[in-house]
Amino acid sequence: MGSVNVRDAAELFVGAFAGLQMMSKAFTDQNDLSQRLTVFFEHTLPTIAVPAILAKLRVDPERGKQLDAELQRHAVLEDEEHLGEAGSNLLDVAP
């Protein structure tokens, strides 16, 4: 939306996320973080998102779990790729 100050919104989201992580860690060892984030998004996104986009967003806890699993798989693949590159680089080094 044109009236949204992007920097302010970004700082709000970063600060809120940090606070939600700390609360979730303190109360449930982060077992409820997805639920806390869902509540946060449900309350804040309608104030900054264009309605047409807002209608398409999935902010439920299950979506968060799916994204987390996907990111974890991607990180493992990247690590394996970097280890493979490091191994091949070692083979290229002359004694």
Side-chain angles (χ1 to χ4, degrees), residues 5 55 59:
N5 180 309
V59 295

Side-chain angles (χ1 to χ4, degrees), residues 40-74:
F40 173 71
F41 290 141
E42 288 173 344
H43 284 82
T44 55
L45 288 179
T47 65
I48 63 170
V50 176
I53 299 298
L54 186 60
K56 297 177 183 180
L57 293 177
R58 284 189 49 209
V59 295
D60 58 281
E62 280 305 310
R63 178 66 175 146
K65 289 176 188 174
Q66 290 171 345
L67 289 174
D68 184 48
E70 191 175 313
L71 288 170
Q72 295 297 329
R73 280 193 301 275
H74 184 70

Side-chain angles (χ1 to χ4, degrees), residues 2 7 10-11 15 18 20-23 25 33 38 40-42 47 49 53-54 62-63 66 72 84 91 93 95:
R7 183 182 182 98
E11 289 178 1
L20 289 170
Q21 282 185 302
M22 290 189 317
M23 285 180 60
K25 180 69 173 170
L33 183 58
T38 297
F40 173 71
F41 290 141
E42 288 173 344
T47 65
I53 299 298
L54 186 60
E62 280 305 310
R63 178 66 175 146
Q66 290 171 345
Q72 295 297 329
L91 296 175
V93 176

Side-chain angles (χ1 to χ4, degrees), residues 3 5 9 12 21 26-29 32 36 43-44 49 51 54 57-59 61 72 76 78 88:
S3 63
N5 180 309
L12 169 69
Q21 282 185 302
F27 294 135
T28 66
D29 200 28
D32 66 348
R36 289 179 185 276
H43 284 82
T44 55
L54 186 60
L57 293 177
R58 284 189 49 209
V59 295
Q72 295 297 329
V76 167
E78 276 190 348
S88 65

